[in-house]
Amino acid sequence: PWAETVEGHGRRQIADIIGNAANEEISPIFQLTQRFPSGLVVPIEYLAVPGNDGSVVAIGRDVRAVAQLQSRLAAAQQTMQRGYWQLRDVENRYRVMFEASNDSIAVVSDDGFAINEANPAAIAALGLATARPQDVVGRSLIGLIAPVDRAMAKATLERALERGKAPRIMVRLAHSDVT
């Protein structure tokens, strides 16, 4: 009997499906773990339809490939989630170090040298201590430098972009005579 070749709750499910099919109802798709005489165990998705003579015809398809894809998808999702949390951890560490640093650090864009972010020490050094960090974003770093030193500062930043490093320079800020 078919019910003796399935594992788990499949026996009860088969009885229900055969009962419904006897009443001339097509069953919903259901999955059973089919055990073959060779010992092979295969997940199979079935659909049962009533036959013309009161019999029940079960049509099944092997869903191992689908199960394997689902398993691979779940593993990929777990890997992505682990990567996401590792990235979040790195970002949090970066943020703590960035904010707590006594050194002035400003991250600027490579097109126009607008400030993308600045730590509190940089905000104070640039003479923007009354500004909130989000108000500093988008401001031109070159515009905060004294006019006499802007060309040299811009050339140095462009050289850093081009070569990956540049010599140190001293510039005066627009708000002060201090370098």
Side-chain angles (χ1 to χ4, degrees):
W2 184 23
E4 292 179 10
T5 65
V6 297
E7 293 188 343
H9 300 293
R11 292 177 187 197
R12 191 173 332 123
Q13 196 172 11
I14 287 175
D16 292 341
I17 297 300
I18 290 174
N20 289 340
N23 294 329
E24 297 185 9
E25 294 178 25
I26 296 175
S27 74
I29 293 174
F30 59 98
Q31 187 171 332
L32 297 174
T33 303
Q34 191 74 49
R35 186 178 17 58
F36 292 95
S38 66
L40 179 65
V41 176
V42 178
I44 298 184
E45 200 170 71
Y46 284 102
L47 172 69
V49 293
N52 291 336
D53 59 356
S55 63
V56 175
V57 177
I59 304 164
R61 73 175 179 153
D62 183 344
V63 291
R64 285 182 289 188
V66 173
Q68 186 180 36
L69 285 173
Q70 288 173 334
S71 175
R72 287 175 42 197
L73 176 62
Q77 286 174 327
Q78 287 176 345
T79 300
M80 284 177 47
Q81 193 170 34
R82 275 193 304 276
Y84 170 78
W85 288 112
Q86 287 172 344
L87 178 62
R88 292 284 303 200
D89 186 45
V90 168
E91 287 175 342
N92 285 337
R93 289 179 190 201
Y94 162 79
R95 178 67 42 212
V96 167
M97 290 174 49
F98 184 79
E99 296 294 330
S101 176
N102 291 329
D103 294 326
S104 298
I105 303 170
V107 179
V108 296
S109 67
D110 59 355
D111 59 342
F113 307 112
I115 298 171
N116 289 337
E117 58 183 319
N119 70 351
I123 292 171
L126 292 170
L128 304 171
T130 58
R132 298 175 308 187
Q134 60 267 30
D135 295 337
V136 175
V137 173
R139 292 189 70 167
S140 169
L141 178 65
I142 302 298
L144 297 172
I145 296 173
V148 68
D149 292 332
R150 285 181 186 163
M152 178 180 55
K154 185 175 183 199
T156 302
L157 290 170
E158 287 170 346
R159 183 174 179 183
L161 276 174
E162 189 178 295
R163 298 183 182 173
K165 61 181 180 176
R168 290 181 177 216
I169 61 168
M170 299 277 284
V171 295
R172 288 177 290 277
L173 298 174
H175 75 279
S176 152
D177 290 332
V178 180
T179 56

